[in-house]
Amino acid sequence: MTTTEAQRDADIIVVGAGHNGLICAAYLARAGRDVLLLDARPDVGGCASTVSDLGARFNICNCDHTMVRAMPIADELDLASFGLEYVAPEVTNVNRFYDGSDPWLLFHDVDAHLEALAQTHPHAVDGYRRYLADAIPVAELALDVARTKPSMRAMASTVLRRRAAGATRLLRWARASQADVLGQYFDDWHMIMPAVTGGPSVWGVPHTAPGTGTAAALYATRHVVKTGRPTGGSGALPDAVRRSFEAAGGQTRVGARVERLLVKDGRAFGVVLDDSTTLRAPTIVAAVDPQRVFVDWLDGVPPAAKRAVDRWRSQPVSDGYESKVDGVVTGTPRWADTDGFVDAAKGADLLGPTNFLNPSPDEVAEAHRLRERGEVHARPSMMVNLPSVLDESMRPSPDEHVLSVEVLFTPYDHPGGWPASGEPARWLDVLDGFMEPGTLQVDRWRAMTPDRYEAEFQMHRGHTPAYGEAPLVAFLGRRKELTRYRTPIDGLFLSGAGTFPGAGVFGASGRNAADAVLDP
């Protein structure tokens, strides 16, 4: 079946206005296509949004942007002209530990980083130098591949252009565990666990699991790309992309929840909304959870798609496991730091950057076991920052700051349910234990738990999908719907966090999916 010009509501319908869907739509509109962008929420941005509540502005997820800053997206979509500005601190993050041992700082600048590390963890400096020599080529290659048009020929050309620097190690690390890779450089778990908190724990997998080894490049990536935060909150990025998209003629429709994907004669030709409205286009891009597309949305299963649909239906349904406390604090909290650590910081801001609160390896292993029972560990992994310290525009009032606390693991199936749980309040007590007594004055707060992510962001069981295949899978184009964005259903493409190169504020999936749609 073909969709005639008279029947069309657009050339292309993009479903899902998270940052990947927005980016995909913007590239397509700037290429001259008539694009209609749909989202179920009342505004765009998804988990990259900044929302108003409690008299303040809160980022839905952590406000640090790294990977998207390594992409050419901001320049190609002219986002600076549409209001996007970044503030970039010299300290990427501060790494703290429940056992009371000395924290350490991760500076973007390598020399500043090694100088600070020599004061807090001198035994780790030589290992960190060896790590950088091996890991920086891996990080640079991975970023180059993410920037490359998704085809084996183009990716091979990228590898050859770099004279294969980092390629062998990238493939070797991809088969190993993060624990094994980082164990080659560090014999102190305090040097390893921050990469676990920011890597495999965010993905919901143990760092001892084979296939997590590429997360060992996390530190190196922070030296290659300077982490920044959009002025006005994380949502300034999707807001700027929306303006770029609409300036190119794109149409945005929010409050439009898709319930079905229309398919006939092996081809997608439209979507049906929850109010029974039918919208038609010969090309559909679903920038949402791929499993939900194949399991819940299909109006009919063409023979060519049966194998893919069966595979997605047979996969287990993942539960959400991450929560976030947003708060407004009066005054300025102070970390309970030693004089020696403050000296090592050399005047760098310790409140604005993200502070990782890291359990030990044994505690993380126990947290995974408790997660299976719906329970939260007494010492959960946390990522804490005060966005308004770096960005004055985020301050609710001259006497207040915004507090952001991400917590792992907080299972969807929590005994008794999250609305009745005392856990979120306990997390604030845990954080208070890291502060100078009396300085963490939380005036008001809210908890975004997995049930709320499901209700407010259409995340099935509160889970954020993430692409987790090995680099070789992407290189060879296996799982084509995830690595090449093309599905067995003609006219249907995928994008979003569940497709290559994965979750986080990255944007490469949206850019790549647009390439796939435009490629004849």
Side-chain angles (χ1 to χ4, degrees), residues 164-198:
T168 300
R169 184 166 285 110
L170 175 62
L171 294 175
R172 188 166 65 244
W173 284 10
R175 294 190 293 268
S177 72
Q178 188 196 47
D180 287 339
V181 173
L182 291 178
Q184 300 171 27
Y185 307 99
F186 307 114
D187 58 8
D188 178 356
W189 65 261
H190 299 88
M191 293 301 302
I192 294 173
M193 293 312 292
V196 177
T197 298

Side-chain angles (χ1 to χ4, degrees), residues 385-407:
N385 58 56
L386 286 90
S388 52
V389 169
L390 290 173
D391 180 3
E392 286 281 330
S393 72
M394 293 284 289
R395 294 191 77 156
S397 75
D399 298 323
E400 296 177 321
H401 279 294
V402 170
L403 174 68
S404 169
V405 186
E406 292 194 51
V407 186

Side-chain angles (χ1 to χ4, degrees), residues 41-52:
R41 293 183 64 244
D43 206 350
V44 302
C47 287
S49 301
T50 303
V51 300
S52 297

Side-chain angles (χ1 to χ4, degrees), residues 46 62 70 91 165 221 227 314 354 463:
N62 198 354
V91 176
T221 303
T227 295
S314 68
T354 298
H463 177 71

Side-chain angles (χ1 to χ4, degrees), residues 150-428:
S151 73
M152 188 185 301
R153 176 177 294 181
M155 290 180 176
S157 177
T158 295
V159 174
L160 292 173
R161 186 173 66 251
R162 293 183 54 81
R163 298 182 182 179
T168 300
R169 184 166 285 110
L170 175 62
L171 294 175
R172 188 166 65 244
W173 284 10
R175 294 190 293 268
S177 72
Q178 188 196 47
D180 287 339
V181 173
L182 291 178
Q184 300 171 27
Y185 307 99
F186 307 114
D187 58 8
D188 178 356
W189 65 261
H190 299 88
M191 293 301 302
I192 294 173
M193 293 312 292
V196 177
T197 298
S201 287
V202 171
W203 306 343
V205 297
H207 70 294
T208 53
T212 58
T214 52
L218 184 144
Y219 299 148
T221 303
R222 300 303 187 267
H223 294 301
V224 173
V225 185
K226 195 169 189 178
T227 295
R229 296 181 186 169
T231 301
S234 181
L237 170 67
D239 289 347
V241 179
R242 177 179 183 172
R243 288 190 283 269
S244 176
F245 166 62
E246 293 178 347
Q251 304 172 68
T252 306
R253 184 168 173 177
V254 296
R257 181 167 185 162
V258 170
E259 286 201 338
R260 283 190 294 136
L261 179 69
L262 298 175
V263 180
K264 189 170 183 179
D265 298 330
R267 182 168 189 88
F269 67 92
V271 298
V272 178
L273 307 184
D274 60 356
D275 64 359
S276 300
T277 299
T278 297
L279 299 170
R280 298 173 183 264
T283 301
I284 311 292
V285 180
V288 296
D289 184 342
Q291 191 171 34
R292 305 276 58 83
V293 173
F294 285 102
V295 173
D296 296 337
W297 281 15
L298 293 184
D299 189 50
V301 180
K306 185 178 185 302
R307 181 178 297 178
V309 170
D310 288 345
R311 183 175 66 245
W312 282 104
R313 285 177 174 167
S314 68
Q315 290 183 7
V317 175
S318 298
D319 282 354
Y321 49 82
E322 186 168 2
S323 294
K324 185 170 184 285
V325 172
D326 298 315
V328 176
V329 299
T330 56
T332 303
R334 293 193 302 274
W335 295 98
D337 289 322
T338 63
D339 291 340
F341 176 69
V342 173
D343 290 343
K346 295 187 179 300
D349 172 34
L350 299 180
L351 280 173
T354 298
N355 283 249
F356 287 11
L357 309 188
N358 301 284
S360 70
D362 288 344
E363 288 170 330
V364 169
E366 178 63 15
H368 278 285
R369 290 190 288 270
L370 290 173
R371 173 185 167 194
E372 297 302 315
R373 304 202 300 262
E375 299 176 14
V376 183
H377 197 278
R379 293 179 163 186
S381 301
M382 292 187 181
M383 291 170 281
V384 181
N385 58 56
L386 286 90
S388 52
V389 169
L390 290 173
D391 180 3
E392 286 281 330
S393 72
M394 293 284 289
R395 294 191 77 156
S397 75
D399 298 323
E400 296 177 321
H401 279 294
V402 170
L403 174 68
S404 169
V405 186
E406 292 194 51
V407 186
L408 297 159
F409 305 105
T410 63
Y412 178 84
D413 277 330
H414 184 51
W418 281 108
S421 176
E423 275 293 328
R426 185 181 71 83
W427 306 333
L428 290 173

Side-chain angles (χ1 to χ4, degrees), residues 13 25 139 304 352 358 431 465 468:
I13 293 174
N358 301 284
L431 175 60

